[in-house]
Amino acid sequence: MIDIGIFVGSVYGNAQQVAEQAQQMLIEHGLQVQVFDDPSLDDFKQSQAIVFISSTTGQGDVPPNLEFFIDELRSSFPLMDNKPFAVAGLGDSSYGDTYCGAGRQIYALLEELQGNPLADFLEVDACETLEPETVVLPWLTQLIPQLTAK
Ligand SMILES: Cc1cc2nc3c(=O)[nH]c(=O)nc-3n(C[C@H](O)[C@H](O)[C@H](O)COP(=O)(O)O)c2cc1C
């Protein structure tokens, strides 16, 4: 089993970089963490806690590297049985209605799968924050006790 699976959706590498820094930080806290940029359902099932860090592309769309996996979650619908999850979305508020659309879709899907949300969806706005890790890492740090509660 993996303590925490970080599922990353990224087009230009920003979310990927944040995910790798998050992995490093969680490993320093003694956790077993894997980053998945081309995840399978098994990766999802074998992670005891799920963290998504995803940008938004197109018009509120999930990045191509996660598209197939999200479709697979929707079609096979693996119930999470209260498994803890958290979702951070990287977006840009100048996109208006589609701001952080991918992260929102993912958060809603994990709720439908009956996961246990540990925090509200975290929006990281590229208009306000040039270094998304400065928002995501502190947010994730304060979730560690809940992410690791058995
Ligand atoms: C072609 C394109 C489309 C985008 N569409 C959206 C969008 O619909 N909503 C949003 O919030 N951000 C949108 N963004 C902004 C990205 O999500 C944001 O720049 C993010 O930091 C990119 O992270 P990444 O490098 O991990 O892909 C878009 C960016 C590009 C270049």
Short mmCIF file of all heavy atoms in Angstrom, two decimals, residues 8-17 53-61 63 89-102 124-126 129 132, ligand 1:
data_model
loop_
_atom_site.label_atom_id
_atom_site.label_comp_id
_atom_site.label_asym_id
_atom_site.label_seq_id
_atom_site.Cartn_x
_atom_site.Cartn_y
_atom_site.Cartn_z
N VAL A 8 -1.49 13.87 -10.45
CA VAL A 8 -1.19 15.20 -10.98
C VAL A 8 -1.68 15.36 -12.42
O VAL A 8 -1.52 14.46 -13.25
CB VAL A 8 0.33 15.50 -10.85
CG1 VAL A 8 1.17 14.47 -11.55
CG2 VAL A 8 0.68 16.88 -11.34
N GLY A 9 -2.31 16.51 -12.65
CA GLY A 9 -2.73 16.88 -14.00
C GLY A 9 -2.01 18.16 -14.38
O GLY A 9 -2.14 19.17 -13.68
N SER A 10 -1.23 18.10 -15.45
CA SER A 10 -0.40 19.26 -15.77
C SER A 10 -0.16 19.32 -17.27
O SER A 10 0.04 18.28 -17.91
CB SER A 10 0.93 19.13 -15.02
OG SER A 10 1.71 20.29 -15.17
N VAL A 11 -0.18 20.53 -17.81
CA VAL A 11 0.13 20.70 -19.24
C VAL A 11 1.54 21.27 -19.40
O VAL A 11 2.35 20.73 -20.16
CB VAL A 11 -0.89 21.64 -19.92
CG1 VAL A 11 -0.56 21.80 -21.40
CG2 VAL A 11 -2.31 21.11 -19.75
N TYR A 12 1.83 22.33 -18.67
CA TYR A 12 3.12 23.03 -18.86
C TYR A 12 4.11 22.76 -17.74
O TYR A 12 5.18 23.36 -17.71
CB TYR A 12 2.87 24.53 -18.99
CG TYR A 12 1.95 24.84 -20.13
CD1 TYR A 12 0.61 25.15 -19.91
CD2 TYR A 12 2.41 24.77 -21.44
CE1 TYR A 12 -0.25 25.40 -20.96
CE2 TYR A 12 1.56 25.02 -22.50
CZ TYR A 12 0.23 25.33 -22.26
OH TYR A 12 -0.62 25.56 -23.30
N GLY A 13 3.74 21.91 -16.77
CA GLY A 13 4.70 21.51 -15.74
C GLY A 13 4.55 22.19 -14.40
O GLY A 13 5.21 21.81 -13.44
N ASN A 14 3.68 23.21 -14.31
CA ASN A 14 3.54 23.89 -13.00
C ASN A 14 3.01 22.94 -11.93
O ASN A 14 3.60 22.81 -10.85
CB ASN A 14 2.60 25.09 -13.11
CG ASN A 14 3.19 26.22 -13.91
OD1 ASN A 14 4.36 26.56 -13.76
ND2 ASN A 14 2.39 26.80 -14.78
N ALA A 15 1.88 22.30 -12.22
CA ALA A 15 1.28 21.39 -11.23
C ALA A 15 2.22 20.21 -10.95
O ALA A 15 2.32 19.73 -9.81
CB ALA A 15 -0.08 20.91 -11.70
N GLN A 16 2.90 19.77 -11.99
CA GLN A 16 3.85 18.66 -11.83
C GLN A 16 4.94 19.04 -10.82
O GLN A 16 5.28 18.27 -9.92
CB GLN A 16 4.48 18.33 -13.19
CG GLN A 16 5.49 17.19 -13.18
CD GLN A 16 4.84 15.82 -13.08
OE1 GLN A 16 3.76 15.60 -13.63
NE2 GLN A 16 5.48 14.89 -12.38
N GLN A 17 5.44 20.25 -10.96
CA GLN A 17 6.50 20.70 -10.06
C GLN A 17 5.98 20.82 -8.62
O GLN A 17 6.66 20.40 -7.68
CB GLN A 17 6.96 22.08 -10.54
CG GLN A 17 8.39 22.38 -10.17
CD GLN A 17 8.79 23.77 -10.66
OE1 GLN A 17 8.16 24.33 -11.57
NE2 GLN A 17 9.80 24.31 -10.06
N ILE A 53 -3.55 17.24 -7.58
CA ILE A 53 -3.05 18.58 -7.85
C ILE A 53 -3.13 18.74 -9.36
O ILE A 53 -2.40 18.07 -10.10
CB ILE A 53 -1.59 18.76 -7.36
CG1 ILE A 53 -1.51 18.50 -5.85
CG2 ILE A 53 -1.06 20.15 -7.71
CD1 ILE A 53 -0.10 18.55 -5.26
N SER A 54 -4.08 19.57 -9.81
CA SER A 54 -4.32 19.63 -11.26
C SER A 54 -4.53 21.05 -11.75
O SER A 54 -5.27 21.83 -11.13
CB SER A 54 -5.53 18.78 -11.63
OG SER A 54 -5.74 18.83 -13.03
N SER A 55 -3.91 21.35 -12.86
CA SER A 55 -4.22 22.60 -13.54
C SER A 55 -5.48 22.40 -14.37
O SER A 55 -6.05 21.29 -14.43
CB SER A 55 -3.04 23.03 -14.42
OG SER A 55 -2.89 22.17 -15.52
N THR A 56 -5.92 23.49 -15.00
CA THR A 56 -7.07 23.43 -15.92
C THR A 56 -6.59 23.86 -17.29
O THR A 56 -5.77 24.77 -17.41
CB THR A 56 -8.17 24.39 -15.44
OG1 THR A 56 -8.73 23.89 -14.22
CG2 THR A 56 -9.30 24.52 -16.45
N THR A 57 -7.08 23.21 -18.33
CA THR A 57 -6.70 23.61 -19.68
C THR A 57 -7.96 23.82 -20.53
O THR A 57 -9.07 23.61 -20.04
CB THR A 57 -5.74 22.56 -20.30
OG1 THR A 57 -5.18 23.12 -21.49
CG2 THR A 57 -6.44 21.26 -20.60
N GLY A 58 -7.75 24.24 -21.77
CA GLY A 58 -8.88 24.45 -22.68
C GLY A 58 -9.88 25.41 -22.06
O GLY A 58 -9.51 26.49 -21.61
N GLN A 59 -11.12 24.98 -21.98
CA GLN A 59 -12.15 25.80 -21.32
C GLN A 59 -12.70 25.02 -20.15
O GLN A 59 -13.74 24.37 -20.24
CB GLN A 59 -13.24 26.14 -22.31
CG GLN A 59 -12.71 27.03 -23.42
CD GLN A 59 -13.81 27.53 -24.32
OE1 GLN A 59 -14.78 26.82 -24.58
NE2 GLN A 59 -13.67 28.74 -24.80
N GLY A 60 -11.95 25.03 -19.07
CA GLY A 60 -12.36 24.31 -17.87
C GLY A 60 -12.10 22.82 -17.94
O GLY A 60 -12.74 22.04 -17.22
N ASP A 61 -11.15 22.41 -18.80
CA ASP A 61 -10.93 20.98 -19.03
C ASP A 61 -9.79 20.40 -18.19
O ASP A 61 -8.84 21.10 -17.84
CB ASP A 61 -10.61 20.73 -20.51
CG ASP A 61 -11.74 21.21 -21.42
OD1 ASP A 61 -12.91 21.09 -20.99
OD2 ASP A 61 -11.46 21.71 -22.52
N PRO A 63 -6.43 18.36 -17.78
CA PRO A 63 -5.27 18.18 -18.66
C PRO A 63 -5.28 16.80 -19.34
O PRO A 63 -5.73 15.81 -18.74
CB PRO A 63 -4.08 18.31 -17.70
CG PRO A 63 -4.58 19.19 -16.61
CD PRO A 63 -6.03 18.79 -16.44
N GLY A 89 -6.37 22.94 -7.10
CA GLY A 89 -6.44 23.27 -8.52
C GLY A 89 -5.61 24.49 -8.84
O GLY A 89 -5.68 25.50 -8.14
N LEU A 90 -4.79 24.38 -9.88
CA LEU A 90 -4.06 25.54 -10.38
C LEU A 90 -4.85 26.10 -11.56
O LEU A 90 -5.21 25.34 -12.48
CB LEU A 90 -2.66 25.15 -10.87
CG LEU A 90 -1.54 25.10 -9.82
CD1 LEU A 90 -1.86 24.14 -8.71
CD2 LEU A 90 -0.22 24.76 -10.48
N GLY A 91 -5.16 27.37 -11.51
CA GLY A 91 -5.92 27.97 -12.60
C GLY A 91 -5.59 29.44 -12.72
O GLY A 91 -4.60 29.92 -12.15
N ASP A 92 -6.44 30.11 -13.46
CA ASP A 92 -6.20 31.52 -13.75
C ASP A 92 -7.57 32.19 -13.79
O ASP A 92 -8.40 31.86 -14.66
CB ASP A 92 -5.48 31.58 -15.11
CG ASP A 92 -5.09 32.99 -15.49
OD1 ASP A 92 -5.83 33.93 -15.14
OD2 ASP A 92 -4.05 33.14 -16.15
N SER A 93 -7.80 33.10 -12.85
CA SER A 93 -9.15 33.68 -12.71
C SER A 93 -9.54 34.52 -13.91
O SER A 93 -10.71 34.83 -14.09
CB SER A 93 -9.27 34.48 -11.41
OG SER A 93 -8.29 35.49 -11.39
N SER A 94 -8.57 34.88 -14.77
CA SER A 94 -8.93 35.65 -15.97
C SER A 94 -9.74 34.80 -16.95
O SER A 94 -10.31 35.32 -17.91
CB SER A 94 -7.69 36.24 -16.64
OG SER A 94 -6.89 35.21 -17.15
N TYR A 95 -9.79 33.47 -16.72
CA TYR A 95 -10.62 32.60 -17.56
C TYR A 95 -12.10 32.63 -17.16
O TYR A 95 -12.92 31.95 -17.77
CB TYR A 95 -10.10 31.15 -17.56
CG TYR A 95 -8.87 30.99 -18.44
CD1 TYR A 95 -7.61 31.26 -17.95
CD2 TYR A 95 -8.99 30.58 -19.76
CE1 TYR A 95 -6.48 31.13 -18.75
CE2 TYR A 95 -7.88 30.45 -20.57
CZ TYR A 95 -6.62 30.73 -20.05
OH TYR A 95 -5.51 30.60 -20.85
N GLY A 96 -12.43 33.40 -16.13
CA GLY A 96 -13.84 33.61 -15.78
C GLY A 96 -14.53 32.34 -15.31
O GLY A 96 -14.07 31.68 -14.38
N ASP A 97 -15.62 31.99 -16.00
CA ASP A 97 -16.47 30.87 -15.56
C ASP A 97 -15.74 29.53 -15.51
O ASP A 97 -16.18 28.62 -14.81
CB ASP A 97 -17.65 30.69 -16.54
CG ASP A 97 -18.71 31.74 -16.30
OD1 ASP A 97 -18.58 32.49 -15.31
OD2 ASP A 97 -19.66 31.79 -17.11
N THR A 98 -14.70 29.38 -16.28
CA THR A 98 -14.02 28.08 -16.30
C THR A 98 -12.84 28.05 -15.32
O THR A 98 -12.04 27.11 -15.34
CB THR A 98 -13.54 27.70 -17.71
OG1 THR A 98 -12.49 28.60 -18.11
CG2 THR A 98 -14.68 27.74 -18.71
N TYR A 99 -12.76 29.08 -14.48
CA TYR A 99 -11.66 29.17 -13.51
C TYR A 99 -11.57 27.87 -12.68
O TYR A 99 -12.56 27.46 -12.06
CB TYR A 99 -11.88 30.38 -12.60
CG TYR A 99 -10.89 30.50 -11.47
CD1 TYR A 99 -9.52 30.39 -11.69
CD2 TYR A 99 -11.33 30.74 -10.18
CE1 TYR A 99 -8.61 30.50 -10.64
CE2 TYR A 99 -10.43 30.87 -9.13
CZ TYR A 99 -9.08 30.73 -9.37
OH TYR A 99 -8.18 30.83 -8.34
N CYS A 100 -10.42 27.25 -12.71
CA CYS A 100 -10.16 26.03 -11.93
C CYS A 100 -11.19 24.93 -12.21
O CYS A 100 -11.49 24.10 -11.33
CB CYS A 100 -10.11 26.33 -10.44
SG CYS A 100 -8.54 27.06 -9.92
N GLY A 101 -11.72 24.90 -13.43
CA GLY A 101 -12.78 23.94 -13.77
C GLY A 101 -12.38 22.49 -13.58
O GLY A 101 -13.19 21.67 -13.12
N ALA A 102 -11.14 22.16 -13.92
CA ALA A 102 -10.72 20.75 -13.81
C ALA A 102 -10.72 20.31 -12.35
O ALA A 102 -11.26 19.25 -12.00
CB ALA A 102 -9.33 20.56 -14.43
N VAL A 124 -5.79 27.88 -6.66
CA VAL A 124 -4.55 28.65 -6.72
C VAL A 124 -4.57 29.46 -8.01
O VAL A 124 -4.54 28.88 -9.11
CB VAL A 124 -3.30 27.74 -6.66
CG1 VAL A 124 -2.04 28.58 -6.54
CG2 VAL A 124 -3.41 26.74 -5.51
N ASP A 125 -4.65 30.76 -7.87
CA ASP A 125 -4.87 31.65 -9.01
C ASP A 125 -3.53 32.19 -9.52
O ASP A 125 -2.83 32.91 -8.81
CB ASP A 125 -5.76 32.80 -8.53
CG ASP A 125 -6.18 33.71 -9.67
OD1 ASP A 125 -5.74 33.48 -10.82
OD2 ASP A 125 -6.96 34.64 -9.41
N ALA A 126 -3.22 31.86 -10.78
CA ALA A 126 -1.96 32.32 -11.38
C ALA A 126 -1.90 33.85 -11.46
O ALA A 126 -0.81 34.41 -11.54
CB ALA A 126 -1.80 31.70 -12.77
N THR A 129 -0.67 34.41 -7.69
CA THR A 129 0.43 33.64 -7.10
C THR A 129 1.36 33.14 -8.20
O THR A 129 0.96 32.30 -9.02
CB THR A 129 -0.14 32.40 -6.35
OG1 THR A 129 -1.23 32.82 -5.55
CG2 THR A 129 0.90 31.74 -5.50
N PRO A 132 2.95 28.63 -7.08
CA PRO A 132 1.82 27.92 -6.49
C PRO A 132 2.20 27.05 -5.29
O PRO A 132 1.39 26.83 -4.39
CB PRO A 132 1.28 27.06 -7.65
CG PRO A 132 2.32 27.09 -8.71
CD PRO A 132 3.13 28.32 -8.51
C1 LIG B 1 -4.54 27.11 -23.39
C2 LIG B 1 -4.79 27.37 -21.92
C3 LIG B 1 -6.07 27.21 -21.42
C4 LIG B 1 -6.34 27.43 -20.06
N1 LIG B 1 -7.62 27.31 -19.59
C5 LIG B 1 -7.88 27.60 -18.29
C6 LIG B 1 -9.21 27.54 -17.80
O1 LIG B 1 -10.18 27.24 -18.50
N2 LIG B 1 -9.41 27.81 -16.48
C7 LIG B 1 -8.39 28.16 -15.64
O2 LIG B 1 -8.64 28.40 -14.46
N3 LIG B 1 -7.11 28.22 -16.07
C8 LIG B 1 -6.83 27.96 -17.38
N4 LIG B 1 -5.54 28.04 -17.83
C9 LIG B 1 -4.47 28.45 -16.90
C10 LIG B 1 -3.65 27.26 -16.37
O3 LIG B 1 -4.47 26.33 -15.68
C11 LIG B 1 -2.58 27.81 -15.41
O4 LIG B 1 -1.70 28.63 -16.14
C12 LIG B 1 -1.82 26.71 -14.69
O5 LIG B 1 -0.91 27.32 -13.77
C13 LIG B 1 -1.01 25.83 -15.66
O6 LIG B 1 -0.44 24.78 -14.92
P1 LIG B 1 0.32 23.57 -15.65
O7 LIG B 1 1.67 24.10 -16.08
O8 LIG B 1 0.51 22.53 -14.58
O9 LIG B 1 -0.50 23.09 -16.76
C14 LIG B 1 -5.27 27.81 -19.19
C15 LIG B 1 -3.97 27.97 -19.72
C16 LIG B 1 -3.73 27.76 -21.07
C17 LIG B 1 -2.34 28.00 -21.59
#
